[in-house]
């Protein structure tokens, strides 16, 4: 796929960029342009940077026109490219959740954790080298903080649940919200004539169903025109999708709680139950895949979600002890 094919214009100077992470249309980042200023919301990985720069050039802009880089949270499919973009875009400021700021100033802890999970070779192949960001260029955004992009306002909202360092960004011009993972995952391959299929990513390590429900309600109370998902692109049937997402969060929490007693073999049992639930929902949604194809397509998601639920159960057990 060429660089030009990796982007989609959504109107009102918002562009969805395929980050190139793992597979086509797996993970997006967004570029918002207002006059001679641009903001990049979520970044993909280091390997996404050339696609971002090609779009800037196509718009008659340069890297010097990037005013803000705004990752929704520090998971590497959302923020792995932050250091590279900040190194190349000399005038940009990094806007990030306060709990994520230190990880961008010194990404060594994130790199070590991801290397432990994926192995050094896969980490290097998927993410490259994480570059630190100078502290003086970092803005730790508080809930409700606004950022001026040539008169177009970007408002940051604290939205824990998927991660405790997660924020979403409301665009004043379109009233669309860049949601990271707070409004779930809705892959384009799973859309049918019934609409979009959406589910909650309980990726390690901070799954919090109660906080997540509150964050979804908080976003919906803003009466957005659309949600711009990292996984993947724009969705607009928001009432229905919010209901689906609330139900999914409860369902996966119930799966975890059903395994609260016996730890031996628990991870595989949780993953199996997640697979059964998700595959049946997708089949009922009318997607032209059988169960085996669905489990293969979502293998990485199911593994990470099971890991996250396992961490949550251990946190619950520790809180009770």
């Amino acid at each position: 796929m060429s660089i030009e094919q990796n982007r989609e214009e959504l109107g009102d100077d918002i562009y969805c960029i395929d980050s190139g992470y793992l597979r086509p249309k797996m993970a997006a980042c967004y570029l918002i342009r207002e006059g001679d200023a641009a903001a990049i919301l979520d970044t993909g990985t280091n390997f996404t940077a050339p696609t971002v720069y090609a779009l800037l050039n196509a718009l008659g802009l340069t890297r010097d026109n990037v005013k803000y880089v705004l990752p929704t949270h520090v998971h590497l499919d959302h923020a792995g490219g932050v250091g590279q973009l900040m190194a190349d875009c000399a005038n940009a400021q990094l806007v990030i959740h306060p709990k994520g700021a230190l990880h961008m100033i010194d990404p060594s802890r994130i790199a070590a954790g991801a290397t432990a999970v994926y192995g050094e070779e896969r980490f290097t192949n998927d993410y490259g080298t994480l570059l630190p960001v100078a502290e003086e260029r970092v803005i730790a955004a508080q809930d409700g903080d606004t950022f001026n992009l040539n008169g177009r306002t970007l408002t940051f909202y604290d939205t824990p649940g998927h991660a405790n360092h997660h924020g979403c960004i409301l665009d004043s011009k379109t009233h669309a919200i860049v949601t990271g993972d707070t409004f779930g995952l809705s892959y384009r391959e799973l859309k049918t004539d019934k609409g979009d299929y959406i589910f909650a990513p309980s990726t390690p390590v901070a799954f919090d169903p109660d906080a997540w429900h509150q964050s979804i309600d908080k976003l919906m109370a803003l009466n957005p025109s659309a949600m711009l998902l990292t996984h993947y692109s724009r969705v607009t049937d928001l009432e229905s999708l919010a209901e689906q997402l609330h139900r999914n969060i409860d369902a996966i929490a119930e799966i975890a709680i059903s395994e609260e007693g016996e730890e031996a073999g628990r991870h595989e049992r949780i993953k199996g139950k997640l697979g059964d639930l998700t595959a049946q929902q997708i089949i009922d949604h009318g997607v032209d895949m059988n169960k085996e194809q669905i489990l293969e397509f979502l293998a990485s998601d199911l593994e990470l979600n099971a890991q996250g639920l396992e961490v949550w159960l251990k946190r619950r057990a520790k809180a009770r002890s």
Side-chain angles (χ1 to χ4, degrees), residues 251-264:
I252 66 175
E254 287 172 11
I255 284 173
I257 290 169
S258 75
E259 293 289 346
E260 204 148 30
E262 179 56 50
E263 289 192 29

Side-chain angles (χ1 to χ4, degrees), residues 7-66:
R7 60 187 186 238
E8 176 188 4
E9 185 173 2
L10 301 180
D12 294 299
D13 288 313
I14 298 182
Y15 298 83
C16 175
I17 302 168
D18 189 334
S19 73
Y21 179 69
L22 298 185
R23 69 169 189 264
K25 297 187 178 181
M26 168 72 173
C29 53
Y30 293 89
L31 187 147
I32 298 179
R33 181 240 185 110
E34 190 65 25
D36 63 353
I40 300 164
L41 297 90
D42 275 354
T43 67
T45 70
N46 286 334
F47 306 116
T48 309
T51 310
V52 173
Y53 303 151
L55 176 55
L56 287 170
N57 292 340
L59 297 175
L61 303 175
T62 71
R63 302 174 194 184
D64 290 342
N65 294 109
V66 177

Side-chain angles (χ1 to χ4, degrees), residues 158-179:
D158 184 18
T159 55
H162 167 74
N164 60 13
H165 52 270
H166 200 299
C168 297
I169 299 96
L170 173 69
D171 169 45
S172 65
K173 191 168 189 176
T174 61
H175 221 65
I177 302 175
V178 175
T179 61

Side-chain angles (χ1 to χ4, degrees), residues 11-315:
D12 294 299
D13 288 313
I14 298 182
Y15 298 83
C16 175
I17 302 168
D18 189 334
S19 73
Y21 179 69
L22 298 185
R23 69 169 189 264
K25 297 187 178 181
M26 168 72 173
C29 53
Y30 293 89
L31 187 147
I32 298 179
R33 181 240 185 110
E34 190 65 25
D36 63 353
I40 300 164
L41 297 90
D42 275 354
T43 67
T45 70
N46 286 334
F47 306 116
T48 309
T51 310
V52 173
Y53 303 151
L55 176 55
L56 287 170
N57 292 340
L59 297 175
L61 303 175
T62 71
R63 302 174 194 184
D64 290 342
N65 294 109
V66 177
K67 187 173 183 180
Y68 301 115
V69 174
L70 301 98
T72 55
H73 60 302
V74 302
H75 292 167
L76 293 180
D77 49 337
H78 300 259
V82 163
Q84 187 66 60
L85 287 173
M86 291 297 293
D88 294 340
C89 302
N91 297 325
Q93 291 179 292
L94 174 64
V95 177
I96 192 166
H97 193 288
K99 292 179 179 178
L102 288 177
H103 290 295
M104 298 290 95
I105 294 167
D106 178 7
S108 60
R109 186 175 169 188
I110 291 179
T115 301
V117 171
Y118 298 119
E120 188 170 345
E121 182 178 359
R122 182 178 168 190
F123 175 80
T124 301
N125 288 339
D126 288 349
Y127 305 109
T129 301
L130 303 186
L131 300 179
V133 180
E135 186 172 359
E136 61 270 18
R137 298 180 66 193
V138 178
I139 300 172
Q142 304 298 320
D143 187 58
D145 279 357
T146 58
F147 300 91
N148 183 355
L149 192 71
N150 273 351
R152 184 175 192 159
T153 302
L154 304 176
T155 305
F156 179 92
Y157 290 96
D158 184 18
T159 55
H162 167 74
N164 60 13
H165 52 270
H166 200 299
C168 297
I169 299 96
L170 173 69
D171 169 45
S172 65
K173 191 168 189 176
T174 61
H175 221 65
I177 302 175
V178 175
T179 61
D181 287 343
T182 294
F183 205 72
L185 277 60
S186 185
Y187 294 126
R188 298 302 86 204
E189 295 92 338
L190 304 180
K191 184 172 185 175
T192 69
D193 56 7
K194 293 183 179 181
D196 295 301
Y197 172 78
I198 203 161
F199 66 104
S202 55
T203 316
V205 293
F207 175 67
D208 184 336
D210 293 337
W212 204 337
H213 285 307
Q214 292 172 18
S215 291
I216 295 166
D217 291 342
K218 180 178 185 175
L219 295 182
M220 291 298 291
L222 298 170
N223 296 312
S225 63
M227 301 294 194
L228 306 181
L229 280 55
T230 300
H231 313 283
Y232 181 87
S233 196
R234 177 171 55 190
V235 296
T236 55
D237 188 13
L238 302 185
E239 291 290 345
S240 172
L241 292 174
E243 290 176 10
Q244 283 186 53
L245 193 54
H246 280 304
R247 289 197 302 268
N248 189 252
I249 291 167
D250 287 339
I252 66 175
E254 287 172 11
I255 284 173
I257 290 169
S258 75
E259 293 289 346
E260 204 148 30
E262 179 56 50
E263 289 192 29
R266 184 167 68 183
H267 172 79
E268 288 303 319
R269 291 194 303 275
I270 290 175
K271 186 165 71 169
K273 290 181 179 181
L274 285 176
D276 291 342
L277 170 74
T278 307
Q280 190 58 57
Q281 288 179 342
I282 289 172
I283 289 168
D284 292 344
H285 194 66
V287 176
D288 186 22
M289 294 185 191
N290 61 34
K291 183 176 181 178
E292 290 71 23
Q293 290 169 324
I294 293 167
L295 295 180
E296 182 179 358
F297 178 69
L298 294 178
S300 177
D301 293 290
L302 294 171
E303 172 62 27
L304 288 172
N305 288 356
Q307 288 180 19
L309 293 176
E310 177 81 4
V311 171
W312 180 58
L313 289 180
K314 289 178 180 177
R315 197 163 64 243

